[in-house]
Amino acid sequence: MPDMAYSAKVSDDNAEEEVKPVRWVASSRDDLRKFPDAVKDEVGFALFTAQRGGKHPAAKPLKGFGGAGVVEIVEDHDGNTYRAVYTVRFAGIVYVLDAFQKKSKKGAATPKHDIERIKSRLAIARQHYIANPPPSTQTPQKKEKQP
């Protein structure tokens, strides 16, 4: 997984707030870049909201993942539907799992092949998180006493 994370501190009313880093899994960043500008702007703002610990109005829990830890952002633009999926299951970081244009015209359900790809990418994110936990979640090491 490329090292495409960033974090920052945001100042809001003189109070600094930590912004969680984002990691892009597989082709999710390149896929998102293919979206129309208006959709990219909305998805970007929704991800920034997640980085700050909030939930954008267009963000909804993705069914089949056991709760609100896997979230999809659904944006309609020019007669097409675009989706970006991210997870906040892991402390201190936001993983973007997928970004795609919904092709199916059979209702709002996410197609099974997309769900399977998201599950696979969630497993990749889990492995990455275990191997590389963000500094904010690591337990401090005890200093040895000097004789």
Side-chain angles (χ1 to χ4, degrees), residues 72-93:
E72 73 174 334
I73 304 159
V74 179
E75 282 299 318
D76 293 319
H77 177 76
D78 205 22
N80 296 304
T81 300
Y82 299 87
R83 295 184 182 197
V85 180
Y86 67 92
T87 185
V88 292
R89 280 190 179 172
F90 310 107
I93 192 164

Side-chain angles (χ1 to χ4, degrees), residues 76-128:
D76 293 319
H77 177 76
D78 205 22
N80 296 304
T81 300
Y82 299 87
R83 295 184 182 197
V85 180
Y86 67 92
T87 185
V88 292
R89 280 190 179 172
F90 310 107
I93 192 164
V94 176
Y95 284 95
V96 181
L97 304 173
D98 205 357
F100 58 95
Q101 180 180 347
K102 186 174 181 296
K103 304 276 187 199
S104 172
K105 302 296 180 191
K106 296 180 184 176
T110 303
K112 186 175 180 175
H113 67 275
D114 290 325
I115 293 292
E116 293 304 317
R117 184 176 59 248
I118 293 164
K119 285 180 180 178
S120 172
R121 291 180 177 187
L122 181 60
I124 292 168
R126 180 179 295 111
Q127 290 171 349
H128 181 269

Side-chain angles (χ1 to χ4, degrees), residues 17-87:
E17 176 178 328
E18 191 69 30
V19 177
K20 297 175 189 174
V22 168
R23 291 249 179 218
W24 302 86
V25 178
S27 65
S28 59
R29 188 175 199 178
D30 291 335
D31 296 338
L32 179 62
R33 286 179 170 161
K34 296 174 187 172
F35 287 4
D37 288 342
V39 176
K40 287 189 285 192
D41 288 347
E42 199 64 27
V43 170
F45 183 66
L47 290 173
F48 181 66
T49 302
Q51 286 181 272
R52 295 181 73 186
K55 184 172 158 282
H56 188 274
K60 309 285 184 219
L62 184 58
K63 292 180 182 173
F65 287 87
V70 177
V71 181
E72 73 174 334
I73 304 159
V74 179
E75 282 299 318
D76 293 319
H77 177 76
D78 205 22
N80 296 304
T81 300
Y82 299 87
R83 295 184 182 197
V85 180
Y86 67 92
T87 185

